[in-house]
Amino acid sequence: MANINATDNLFASATIMGRQVFQFAGSGIGSLGELINRVRNTPGLMSGLVTLTVRNTSQGWSQSRDFYLAAV
C-alpha cells in the first residue's frame, strides 16, 4: 500500500462478509497499521476476513487490503 501521512485526508471502510463494520473520514492516521488497529478495536466486531478499503485524497490513490480478525 502507498504511504500514509498523518496530514493526509483519508476515507476508509471495512467490511466483513459484505457488512460494513467500520468507517473513517478525516486525517490524523499515520500508517496502515494504525488504521488496522482502529478496525480491530471497534466494539462488537465478529471474527472473519476483513476487507479494508482506503482512499487517500491527498495523494490520489485508493487500495484494498484483506486481513483476518480473530475472536478474542
Side-chain angles (χ1 to χ4, degrees):
M1 182 164 285
N3 290 332
I4 298 174
N5 299 310
T7 56
D8 290 347
N9 290 317
L10 302 177
F11 294 94
S13 66
T15 58
I16 298 175
M17 296 185 339
R19 179 176 157 231
Q20 185 173 343
V21 296
F22 173 85
Q23 69 179 36
F24 174 84
S27 59
I29 293 181
S31 69
L32 177 62
E34 186 178 343
L35 191 54
I36 289 173
N37 283 337
R38 287 199 185 197
V39 173
R40 289 182 191 266
N41 292 324
T42 300
L45 286 185
M46 62 186 118
S47 61
L49 185 66
V50 178
T51 300
L52 176 64
T53 302
V54 181
R55 181 173 175 228
N56 186 326
T57 60
S58 299
Q59 296 184 25
W61 55 261
S62 178
Q63 292 187 4
S64 293
R65 288 290 185 258
D66 295 327
F67 64 94
Y68 190 78
L69 182 64
V72 231

